[in-house]
Amino acid sequence: MHLLWLLLPLASAAAEANDTLLWGPYRPNLYFGLRPRIPQSLMTGLMWFGTHDYLSISKTRHSCDQGDGISSYTWTEYDTREGGVQVIKDGPNNVQITTEFLKVAGGDHGGSWAARIKGEPMNPDVPSRTSLIFYFGLEGLGGIDMDTDELENGFEGDVKFSGSTPELDDFTIRIVDGPNNNHVSGGLHADKFEERIGKTHYLGQPVPRGNLWQAKELLLQNIIKRAQEILAPYKDSPSPPDPSYVLQLPDDVYTGSNLYAVQKSFDGEFQFDVFFESASSKQKLSSATLDQGIPALVASYGKRFQNAFPFPSDYPAEKRDSLEAFSKAITSNLVGGVGYFYGTSIVNRKFSYEWDEEDDTQTNGEDGETGPRLTEPKALLTATPSRSFFPRGFYWDEGFHLLHIGEWDNDFSLAILKDWIDLIDDDGWVAREQILGEEARSKVPAEFQTQVPNYANPPTLTMAVTAFISRVKKIAAAAGPSDQDLGMDFAMGGGAQEPLSAPAELGAGSQYIQSPELAHAFLKSIYGPLKRHYDWFRRTQRGQIKQYARVARSRTEGYRWRGRSEQHVLTSGMDDYPRGPPHAGELHLDLISWMAFFSGTMKDIAEFVGEVDDATSFGEIEQAILYNIDDLHWSEKDQMYCDANVDNEDESYHVCHQGYLSMFPLLLALLPPSSPHLGPMLDALRDPEQLWSPYGLRSLSASHPEFGQGENYWKGPIWIQMNYLALRALYKKYAAEEGPYKARAQEIYQQLRKNIIDNVFKEYERTGYVWEQYDSLTGTGMRSHPFTGWTSLVTLILAETY
Ligand SMILES: *[C@@H]1O[C@H](CO)[C@@H](O)[C@H](O)[C@H]1NC(C)=O
């Protein structure tokens, strides 16, 4: 009874902490887009264009786009609870824009926030003329009105709006100019525009449900329509008026408006603030809030960062400032790249390839339902691999994202994890790509939009769960044995005789780490769906052993990815990695390795939540899988682990391709340090003719006939998350535990870690971005950028947090 009583304040503290996560830059597909974690609510966005000519409006910046030619955009600091600072270098428009975002807790509806948008010329000797539009719109229930009286030529002072929604309750939005702004003035025809020069222009417009994400197009249409009218008299004139005078919102508010936009145009440096004030919070916001709040945020971020990711002693002190700034930026971009998505997705319950068809496992779906269908809308808080190129949720990436995010803000990583767990359906399936809503779909080619309920993806999510458990155990251990069972001293804010400094830092700011009760309650709540998900994997991705007279200690543990095509195994996550021909009798090495890993993590979770029988059975399955990895996949002839396939005589044979695939049992630390197979694997890993490069481990051996061929996506380029797995396995197991290869593993670990850090950092300094992958011959960053998803793991590699 007293336990429950003690838990009440805990639960309310957790709810309060959850409040600080309500708002965020949860539209990471935009350069700057704030919204709350509420399905249909207030959406804000920033857009801008140059006014030095008439053409640049056609290149208006809004959603992150590699084609924009932005030199870099990066959160230099971003904290989940406090806010952050982002720097955008728009070279083509000669402006560096800084967006500062400060959360201000208080009241009963998730608090208030302030944002400052400021800019300066990148090159002061060249004109820098920028027109910016801040907009906000409402989806769903509620309303917004403009409180400032309308003026037909725009405003000189502040602009104020008030609104209300069921979740946010009453709020106001104010937009306030900075002190030293200049505006384009003078020049040809300036006299005709005098009344409008230097003013703030505006528009309020009704937008049909579901169309708010197209705010940029809607607003530009208004500007262009108006400009055409103004420019008509100058049709034949060689010198039309300055674009700054013409490319303006029309200063109208229509009845029933749910989209409002405020436009400001500047010459040179500028600054303006946006305040969102929740009515239930009594604190008034002003520019002083930002003047003081942002430097304080930057300072506290720096301190916290050094605690969370201590700078390694093996790197020279003179590199510290630049490496630490880099490490902060990639962490901030991962965390600041978290988005909140809501909407329908497309699922085809009946699709299958011919080699998948004989399965009796595809019982999903209603009878008669064929073809792609829209699902019910779903919500998801998720990190994103790339704000420009992959601004949506990816299952296989997310486990890695959460490892990193969990080290910064454990409870935020749990909030994300919970949303993913909630997507697991009754069968235990979760779609590998989460393309929720029209806005998300607009970024995905049609042929990749449909998800299929017997397709899997590497089960990485449980990594985040076991990482959480080990944080809880660490703090419990620090608390001493007497507290371990109840942990009440932590719940109540301190152990009796413990030196508090270490534990306090370990679980800093985390309700769930500090309270074993909350931790258990959380894990119990996700355990059921996780188990369903695990069972789904075992049921739907099973491979055939008996049918082809394969000899193995376990008659059941073999696995095969469904949904592969002739050329691709997208579900494996290693799309074009060489494999054998599609066949119902294939067995995939990476999948069986993932299943051993999945079983091992499920065992740990079951043990932690006290599901003793389950833990035993997960352990037995894990052992059976480990036997079969050797029995079914080791090729003595090739001295490597391989896929297995079936030939025309129905004989099983090995399909061997040296690269990430052949290394899986090592990457996931499945082999004991004494395994005789480790020797040849480490040899191939360290061989410059095979996997080793000065920039990291390449995906396919340089000696493989397909190295660098075709799409060359997984046929050579270096992927950081795979290198992270290698480093983690070496650090925690092969370089740490006794065995014949320990010294070798240590040497490889040291050198590989250095190669990865140095190259990703060098390319960041050279290009302004971190990249999706790196060329294994030159180290050059390749494909999507910024790619601050799993490439950000470099922070963990630098701090040796595995
Ligand atoms: C946290 O807040 C969000 C947004 O209001 C809400 O959907 C979620 O249920 C809350 N979670 C908890 C654990 O209170």
Side-chain angles (χ1 to χ4, degrees):
M1 205 191 87
H2 88 288
L3 266 179
L4 190 63
W5 185 76
L6 284 169
L7 269 173
L8 282 178
L10 269 179
S12 83
E16 217 167 273
N18 188 45
D19 259 9
T20 57
L21 300 177
L22 181 66
W23 284 95
Y26 296 145
R27 303 181 74 197
N29 56 311
L30 304 190
Y31 289 112
F32 189 56
L34 305 172
R35 66 170 293 176
R37 274 168 75 192
I38 298 172
Q40 287 176 304
S41 186
L42 198 59
M43 309 266 271
T44 81
L46 176 71
M47 52 196 263
W48 72 93
F49 54 87
T51 61
H52 46 278
D53 59 29
Y54 274 100
L55 273 183
S56 82
I57 191 169
S58 69
K59 294 182 215 135
T60 300
R61 281 74 164 88
H62 179 239
S63 66
C64 304
D65 189 331
Q66 291 178 191
D68 282 348
I70 303 278
S71 323
S72 77
Y73 50 103
T74 190
W75 289 95
T76 52
E77 286 86 11
Y78 184 76
D79 179 69
T80 43
R81 315 280 170 169
E82 312 273 330
V85 177
Q86 177 184 226
V87 178
I88 305 167
K89 295 187 177 157
D90 183 352
N93 286 317
N94 189 31
V95 62
Q96 172 173 312
I97 295 178
T98 303
T99 63
E100 300 173 341
F101 168 51
L102 189 69
K103 301 192 194 191
V104 183
D108 308 319
H109 297 278
S112 306
W113 51 262
R116 171 165 292 173
I117 291 120
K118 60 186 186 185
E120 58 185 288
M122 286 175 67
N123 176 357
D125 302 329
V126 179
S128 171
R129 296 174 166 187
T130 317
S131 187
L132 300 101
I133 298 174
F134 190 91
Y135 71 81
F136 44 92
L138 205 56
E139 303 240 86
L141 299 176
I144 309 181
D145 290 309
M146 186 164 88
D147 296 347
T148 313
D149 287 334
E150 284 192 56
L151 289 171
E152 64 174 328
N153 285 314
F155 304 119
E156 234 154 324
D158 305 352
V159 195
K160 182 164 172 275
F161 303 82
S162 56
S164 181
T165 80
E167 296 89 357
L168 297 172
D169 209 51
D170 294 342
F171 61 83
T172 60
I173 294 175
R174 280 182 298 126
I175 300 181
V176 175
D177 259 321
N180 300 310
N181 294 330
N182 292 312
H183 308 280
V184 177
S185 61
L188 276 173
H189 317 297
D191 51 321
K192 307 224 173 50
F193 301 93
E194 231 154 55
E195 307 238 271
R196 297 179 63 84
I197 288 179
K199 302 264 179 76
T200 296
H201 300 290
Y202 61 90
L203 177 71
Q205 196 186 324
V207 175
R209 206 185 176 89
N211 285 19
L212 209 52
W213 67 276
Q214 288 168 311
K216 173 184 144 184
E217 285 69 29
L218 295 168
L219 295 170
L220 286 182
Q221 277 163 18
N222 279 282
I223 292 177
I224 289 165
K225 182 162 163 277
R226 183 175 172 278
Q228 278 164 346
E229 285 161 19
I230 293 172
L231 289 175
Y234 303 94
K235 210 169 70 136
D236 301 316
S237 156
S239 46
D242 192 289
S244 307
Y245 303 158
V246 178
L247 300 175
Q248 294 173 346
L249 288 170
D251 298 312
D252 280 322
V253 171
Y254 296 95
T255 39
S257 292
N258 59 337
L259 170 65
Y260 290 87
V262 170
Q263 180 188 23
K264 293 174 180 288
S265 301
F266 304 106
D267 191 6
E269 262 180 56
F270 63 84
Q271 176 181 309
F272 66 93
D273 299 338
V274 182
F275 301 108
F276 171 90
E277 285 172 320
S278 174
S280 68
S281 161
K282 298 289 167 262
Q283 193 177 343
K284 267 313 252 169
L285 304 184
S286 70
S287 295
T289 318
L290 284 159
D291 293 343
Q292 291 151 16
I294 293 295
L297 181 158
V298 169
S300 74
Y301 185 91
K303 276 215 193 81
R304 256 203 77 197
F305 193 86
Q306 283 167 4
N307 277 334
F309 305 110
F311 191 74
S313 53
D314 62 334
Y315 266 78
E318 70 266 18
K319 278 200 147 182
R320 180 172 180 145
D321 285 352
S322 56
L323 259 177
E324 212 163 59
F326 159 72
S327 188
K328 274 185 200 170
I330 56 181
T331 301
S332 298
N333 283 302
L334 172 67
V335 176
V338 169
Y340 183 79
F341 301 91
Y342 177 78
T344 58
S345 54
I346 301 176
V347 171
N348 186 342
R349 297 207 155 262
K350 279 289 161 71
F351 180 83
S352 89
Y353 286 97
E354 53 177 299
W355 41 85
D356 288 344
E357 256 162 28
E358 65 199 72
D359 288 310
D360 51 5
T361 48
Q362 290 169 43
T363 49
N364 300 312
E366 306 294 301
D367 282 343
E369 186 196 307
T370 53
R373 297 290 174 96
L374 276 185
T375 65
E376 289 293 298
K378 300 237 169 63
L380 179 65
L381 183 71
T382 181
T384 55
S386 164
R387 288 173 61 191
S388 59
F389 210 77
F390 299 113
R392 54 189 174 276
F394 282 82
Y395 180 104
W396 133 241
D397 302 57
E398 199 63 5
F400 293 97
H401 296 158
L402 293 179
L403 280 184
H404 188 169
I405 293 173
E407 290 298 320
W408 178 254
D409 183 338
N410 176 76
D411 295 4
F412 188 54
S413 78
L414 297 187
I416 296 172
L417 178 65
K418 183 73 171 67
D419 271 13
W420 274 95
I421 300 285
D422 285 348
L423 293 178
I424 297 173
D425 73 8
D426 291 344
D427 285 325
W429 174 65
V430 48
R432 66 190 177 87
E433 218 175 306
Q434 292 294 329
I435 314 167
L436 304 180
E438 284 298 319
E439 183 172 19
R441 271 197 287 281
S442 72
K443 287 265 187 170
V444 185
E447 68 266 31
F448 297 124
Q449 290 180 2
T450 303
Q451 305 292 308
V452 179
N454 68 333
Y455 288 11
N457 218 197
T460 62
L461 282 185
T462 51
M463 286 200 295
V465 185
T466 50
F468 167 51
I469 291 176
S470 66
R471 278 177 223 123
V472 173
K473 283 184 174 163
K474 208 155 133 194
I475 200 165
S482 62
D483 294 336
Q484 215 157 353
D485 295 332
L486 278 181
M488 269 307 146
D489 287 305
F490 281 96
M492 302 312 287
Q497 74 281 47
E498 288 311 311
L500 272 178
S501 62
E505 239 166 58
L506 277 175
S510 166
Q511 311 280 333
Y512 288 86
I513 296 182
Q514 286 172 359
S515 155
E517 286 71 26
L518 277 183
H520 273 268
F522 176 81
L523 288 167
K524 277 195 180 298
S525 76
I526 65 169
Y527 181 73
L530 266 185
K531 192 172 169 216
R532 203 161 70 231
H533 187 43
Y534 173 81
D535 290 340
W536 174 89
F537 259 92
R538 293 195 69 228
R539 194 172 68 239
T540 64
Q541 311 296 303
R542 187 171 291 283
Q544 301 174 335
I545 298 176
K546 293 176 273 207
Q547 285 86 335
Y548 301 101
R550 287 167 166 145
V551 180
R553 272 169 279 183
S554 160
R555 303 290 285 154
T556 52
E557 298 306 316
Y559 291 92
R560 172 167 71 96
W561 295 110
R562 299 306 192 268
R564 68 160 296 179
S565 65
E566 298 275 354
Q567 299 300 328
H568 293 104
V569 189
L570 298 182
T571 45
S572 76
M574 303 197 295
D575 304 11
D576 64 335
Y577 194 97
R579 306 266 180 168
H583 192 289
E586 266 182 291
L587 294 176
H588 293 129
L589 169 66
D590 50 340
L591 182 53
I592 193 174
S593 302
W594 280 119
M595 289 311 294
F597 176 85
F598 200 174
S599 305
T601 49
M602 287 303 292
K603 181 184 67 184
D604 292 347
I605 298 164
E607 267 167 13
F608 194 80
V609 299
E611 296 282 351
V612 183
D613 295 347
D614 282 2
T616 306
S617 98
F618 290 133
E620 285 165 5
I621 299 169
E622 182 190 22
Q623 187 53 57
I625 296 179
L626 292 175
Y627 286 146
N628 275 12
I629 290 177
D630 274 354
D631 295 351
L632 296 168
H633 293 278
W634 175 256
S635 165
E636 195 56 31
K637 171 167 80 69
D638 300 282
Q639 287 293 297
M640 67 171 106
Y641 285 99
C642 308
D643 282 344
N645 211 320
V646 175
D647 65 17
N648 293 337
E649 269 78 55
D650 273 2
E651 296 275 343
S652 184
Y653 69 101
H654 282 131
V655 178
C656 302
H657 298 289
Q658 189 78 276
Y660 290 161
L661 181 67
S662 62
M663 293 293 159
F664 253 87
L666 186 159
L667 295 176
L668 295 177
L670 303 173
L671 303 175
S674 60
S675 167
H677 302 156
L678 266 182
M681 294 177 87
L682 291 174
D683 287 345
L685 201 79
R686 188 63 182 83
D687 180 359
E689 305 276 295
Q690 301 203 51
L691 269 72
W692 192 261
S693 89
Y695 319 107
L697 300 175
R698 46 172 76 98
S699 42
L700 191 63
S701 163
S703 307
H704 192 284
E706 289 183 57
F707 173 72
Q709 300 295 304
E711 291 158 43
N712 191 25
Y713 200 35
W714 287 82
K715 293 188 178 181
I718 295 162
W719 292 83
I720 301 306
Q721 91 285 15
M722 302 303 280
N723 279 272
Y724 173 84
L725 285 178
L727 287 165
R728 169 171 144 129
L730 292 167
Y731 183 87
K732 290 176 101 162
K733 194 160 191 175
Y734 303 113
E737 294 175 15
E738 289 312 320
Y741 309 104
K742 185 176 173 183
R744 191 90 210 276
Q746 285 173 342
E747 183 268 322
I748 292 176
Y749 170 79
Q750 301 292 352
Q751 193 56 47
L752 179 58
R753 171 169 171 263
K754 190 169 176 333
N755 289 350
I756 291 289
I757 294 168
D758 291 355
N759 188 60
V760 175
F761 177 58
K762 175 185 92 15
E763 285 296 286
Y764 177 74
E765 298 246 287
R766 187 180 73 81
T767 64
Y769 289 106
V770 299
W771 296 75
E772 183 176 5
Q773 47 174 227
Y774 294 86
D775 187 292
S776 80
L777 298 175
T778 62
T780 308
M782 292 166 71
R783 299 190 190 243
S784 312
H785 58 279
F787 195 96
T788 41
W790 58 33
T791 302
S792 303
L793 290 166
V794 174
T795 291
L796 299 188
I797 296 172
L798 189 63
E800 302 194 280
T801 305
Y802 298 107

